[in-house]
Amino acid sequence: MSLVNYAGRGVPNVFLEAPLTTHGVWNAARFHNPQCDALVKQYVTAIDLQTQKQIAGKIQTLLLAETPIVIPYFIDELNATKSNVHGVYGSQVGQLFLGDAYMTA
């Protein structure tokens, strides 16, 4: 059993490769399924969204049949600024990016 907060990621690849492939670095459950490994590889190398959607459906069906994955919560992250502050944005893990921040009068 594993309880992990993966936080937000820019692409879903990390959610597929790290915990769900045989040699994934976050595969704490030691899940091993060559078919899943092949589907994840196909997903990551797909060049269009429609193909990714089709492969994602196959991955979902496989995981529903073979794993007891439970997603018990989602994090709502809240960041606030003033109306004269611009270029500030946050991530889903509480980071605040100020690289493009500026203030107007």
Side-chain angles (χ1 to χ4, degrees), residues 74-92:
F74 294 92
I75 297 173
D76 288 326
E77 185 65 37
L78 178 64
N79 294 302
T81 64
K82 296 172 108 179
S83 60
N84 65 333
V85 175
H86 310 277
V88 175
Y89 61 96
S91 75
Q92 293 147 333

Side-chain angles (χ1 to χ4, degrees), residues 13 16-25 27 30-45 55 58-59 62-63 66:
N13 300 8
L16 297 173
E17 291 175 311
L20 297 174
T21 58
T22 299
H23 301 292
V25 296
N27 189 355
R30 305 287 193 262
F31 180 64
H32 173 72
N33 183 304
Q35 183 183 5
C36 185
D37 292 350
L39 286 169
V40 169
K41 185 175 182 179
Q42 289 174 23
Y43 177 89
V44 171
T45 59
I55 297 167
K58 292 177 183 178
I59 293 169
L62 184 145
L63 291 176
E66 296 201 15

